[in-house]
Amino acid sequence: MRNGGEIGIIGLAVMGQNLALNFARHGFRVCVYNRTPERTEGFLRDRVRDEPIIPAYTLEEFVRCLERPRRILLMVQAGSAVDQVIEALLPLLEPGDLVMDGGNSHYADTERRMQNLAAHGIRFLGVGISGGEKGALLGPSIMPGGSAEAYAMVEHMFIRIAAQSEEGPCCAYMGRGGAGHYVKMVHNAIEYAFMQGIAEAYDFMKTALGMPVEAIAETFERWNEGALNAFLTELAARVLRYRDPESGDPLVERIMDRAEQKGTGRWAAQSALELGVPAPTLTVAVIARTLSYFKTDRERIGAGFPWPDQRLGPFSEGVLADLEAALNLMLLAAFSQGLWLLHEASRVYSYGTDRAEVLRVWRAGCIIRARWLGFLREIVREDPEDPHLLFSARFRAELQQRLPAAGRVLRWAFEAGVPMPALSTAVDYVLSMRRSRLPANLIQAQRDAFGAHTYERIDRPGVFHTEWLD
Ligand SMILES: NC(=O)c1ccc[n+]([C@@H]2O[C@H](COP(=O)([O-])OP(=O)(O)OC[C@H]3O[C@@H](n4cnc5c(N)ncnc54)[C@H](OP(=O)(O)O)[C@@H]3O)[C@@H](O)[C@H]2O)c1
């Protein structure tokens, strides 16, 4: 059909509306549909002006409105809603049509949906999209995965609406199967870790150093000028500066300290455990959110658990420089774990993910965009087959120069009773990965002693068992 919609979007909540406007403002004709018609009406009334956006109020009408082969992007709530929409849509589609899921779906669900739809001749892409509300409107980071042929149907459109960085548009093919959603999941896990690290630095400045919120905001602003330049560093400063219109106090101080989560961080931690990839900093960031939730329990325990010294007393700029170094180290450790996880997932699931492209796509538009990404990409490109950033001397040097500072921060934090789970696991991770010999020999000996699990020796080949307790 000529003059029909070049792309259709189902789901007009925050993300769907902004993506529809983004496509339309780049000249693409967009058909839109939402289960609840009032939302579609509201969108047209409040936000659509001259953009080529065509509303549909039934799925039949929506499907008819699209050029063939159809390109349909689902922006509905992740989970069973995606299956329900696909089920309703399927009888209306024709072989060759393309359905894309732009939500935060689990990569295994994406693989399942891809296979089910393939049986009907329908193409399917799992598309990770990052950037939140603003990114969706002005240029998100886009991580599509599935068949390369399916991607070819939308590449020209995604590249236009994506964020643009000096290294090109922030959209690239992430690989086969559920690769797009897997990469987005790892993105979110790094996001959790970075946010946890930032929160720990704020807590340290507030609790250990007694700094007022304004001074903490100023510190993040200064850090944002240097190596820690990143969307989340800048955002932390802006959020800390925001004042509650009613009280005039920093709003952040009035917010309940219970962090929510929607699942992607937990899935990444679960996947890391399943694949046998150590990702302690990514995992602990999820645990820290879970722990924060037990507010009343913490209050009860804390009331009966005094800590001797809450403040470090007068501090020098040197302490803040150490904290900055520690946060950089935490972030590098989180990226190192995330990229190892991506390497292993790509190997096990045959994704064929190019991690240098992943890092390029994360350069702009997404929540974890950061100055470090250019450096990390250079390292991955030096040897794309290396699972570890840690194999690179340049990467190790960046960690090594920051380890003493991170160690000092952890000691001060302990004195002041400030928990720093992301930073401490990052330090543990680096210290463990640099040790050629770990105390796992004793674990092996004990396993053999109580359960005859056998062990290997370092001085001769073979598998051994000892009657330790005779
Ligand atoms: N918000 C963000 O910043 C962000 C960023 C990146 C990715 N994402 C992901 O993008 C997706 C969309 O996010 P969102 O925040 O825009 O919306 P959302 O709150 O996750 O979902 C609401 C949308 O889903 C529709 N929906 C829910 N159940 C449905 C069902 N059974 N059948 C048909 N439609 C159904 C709703 O329609 P009704 O109006 O009829 O209720 C509404 O359009 C999610 O997967 C989310 O995780 C969000």
Side-chain angles (χ1 to χ4, degrees):
M1 185 199 294
R2 283 158 103 216
N3 297 325
E6 291 157 282
I7 187 157
I9 296 183
I10 298 183
L12 290 176
V14 184
M15 293 298 283
Q17 287 195 15
N18 286 301
L19 284 167
L21 287 169
N22 189 351
F23 276 114
R25 287 174 190 171
H26 281 91
F28 298 111
R29 293 182 303 278
V30 188
C31 298
V32 294
Y33 169 81
N34 191 77
R35 176 183 61 175
T36 310
E38 288 76 20
R39 212 195 272 269
T40 311
E41 286 159 5
F43 173 53
L44 290 169
R45 183 184 60 238
D46 300 336
R47 301 200 61 197
V48 179
R49 293 292 165 262
D50 301 327
E51 294 89 355
I53 292 180
I54 310 148
Y57 292 93
T58 65
L59 273 181
E60 289 76 6
E61 204 185 313
F62 171 78
V63 165
R64 269 201 310 276
C65 151
L66 287 166
E67 275 180 359
R68 282 178 279 180
R70 302 176 179 89
R71 304 178 190 93
I72 298 172
L73 178 62
L74 311 184
M75 290 309 304
V76 299
Q77 204 170 18
S80 59
V82 178
D83 288 312
Q84 285 165 26
V85 174
I86 290 175
E87 202 183 315
L89 205 50
L90 190 54
L92 308 173
L93 298 179
E94 290 165 301
D97 287 350
L98 168 65
V99 177
M100 298 168 281
D101 175 12
N104 280 333
S105 292
H106 192 280
Y107 60 95
D109 286 337
T110 301
E111 302 258 359
R112 170 178 59 78
R113 289 167 186 146
M114 197 170 284
Q115 280 163 19
N116 288 348
L117 285 173
H120 296 88
I122 309 294
R123 297 174 163 131
F124 188 78
L125 288 174
V127 185
I129 300 180
S130 176
E133 186 175 1
K134 266 214 165 129
L137 181 67
L138 303 173
S141 170
I142 308 179
M143 297 154 254
S147 78
E149 298 76 48
Y151 176 58
M153 288 174 69
V154 278
E155 183 179 21
H156 65 291
M157 305 177 87
F158 280 165
I159 278 176
R160 290 283 297 284
I161 68 150
Q164 308 293 321
S165 84
E166 53 203 45
E167 292 172 24
C170 291
C171 172
Y173 177 59
M174 296 284 117
R176 293 179 281 275
H181 280 141
Y182 199 95
V183 170
K184 175 70 197 311
M185 177 187 80
V186 172
H187 165 285
N188 284 21
I190 295 170
E191 173 187 309
Y192 274 47
F194 195 3
M195 290 176 76
Q196 176 62 28
I198 285 173
E200 290 171 17
Y202 149 78
D203 193 13
F204 184 90
M205 286 188 262
K206 194 170 98 165
T207 311
L209 305 180
M211 287 168 62
V213 172
E214 282 289 301
I216 299 173
E218 223 175 277
T219 307
F220 279 115
E221 279 160 7
R222 206 170 56 244
W223 290 354
N224 193 40
E225 301 296 313
L228 272 175
N229 175 268
F231 169 70
L232 285 171
T233 312
E234 185 193 337
L235 187 67
R238 292 187 68 171
V239 163
L240 287 163
R241 284 219 181 271
Y242 189 90
R243 289 189 174 270
D244 177 20
E246 281 169 37
S247 65
D249 293 339
L251 179 58
V252 75
E253 296 303 300
R254 298 200 172 223
I255 292 182
M256 178 62 73
D257 50 327
R258 284 199 298 232
E260 304 276 348
Q261 49 183 314
K262 283 195 171 166
T264 42
R266 188 178 70 242
W267 296 340
Q270 286 168 334
S271 176
L273 285 172
E274 274 164 25
L275 293 173
V277 174
T281 312
L282 306 187
T283 305
V284 86
V286 182
I287 294 172
R289 286 197 190 189
T290 310
L291 194 151
S292 79
Y293 212 77
F294 294 92
K295 171 82 172 170
T296 50
D297 300 41
R298 290 188 281 115
E299 281 170 343
R300 192 167 147 200
I301 295 163
F305 206 138
W307 197 257
D309 182 15
Q310 287 291 315
R311 291 272 164 91
L312 275 185
F315 67 93
S316 65
E317 277 299 312
V319 177
L320 288 182
D322 279 357
L323 188 61
E324 181 183 9
L327 188 52
N328 273 296
L329 179 133
M330 193 287 315
L331 186 57
L332 291 174
F335 271 111
S336 165
Q337 294 163 29
L339 287 170
W340 184 2
L341 183 55
L342 273 182
H343 182 274
E344 187 59 8
S346 180
R347 191 185 69 75
V348 171
Y349 302 129
S350 307
Y351 287 153
T353 302
D354 176 346
R355 293 175 307 158
E357 279 294 86
V358 172
L359 291 166
R360 190 183 64 71
V361 163
W362 289 348
R363 268 316 282 277
C366 72
I367 305 297
I368 61 170
R369 60 188 186 260
R371 183 170 292 170
W372 278 114
L373 285 161
F375 169 73
L376 300 181
R377 183 164 179 242
E378 275 174 30
I379 289 173
V380 168
R381 288 174 84 178
E382 278 167 16
D383 192 343
E385 295 313 313
D386 268 355
H388 299 294
L389 295 174
L390 284 157
F391 282 163
S392 152
R394 288 168 68 206
F395 186 75
R396 286 196 303 274
E398 295 292 347
L399 294 173
Q400 201 162 1
Q401 74 182 64
R402 292 179 170 87
L403 261 180
R408 284 192 291 275
V409 169
L410 285 177
R411 281 197 296 276
W412 292 321
F414 179 77
E415 274 175 37
V418 174
M420 300 194 89
L423 177 57
S424 53
T425 57
V427 168
D428 279 344
Y429 176 74
V430 177
L431 291 180
S432 297
M433 289 299 287
R434 68 159 290 284
R435 283 284 294 276
S436 61
R437 187 153 171 84
L438 286 167
N441 48 328
L442 180 55
I443 295 171
Q444 282 298 80
Q446 285 192 299
R447 290 179 72 243
D448 191 50
F450 70 65
H453 291 299
T454 73
Y455 56 90
E456 290 176 294
R457 297 178 61 115
I458 55 173
D459 53 356
R460 66 185 98 127
V463 175
F464 300 88
H465 169 63
T466 298
E467 293 299 327
W468 299 85
L469 306 179
D470 280 352

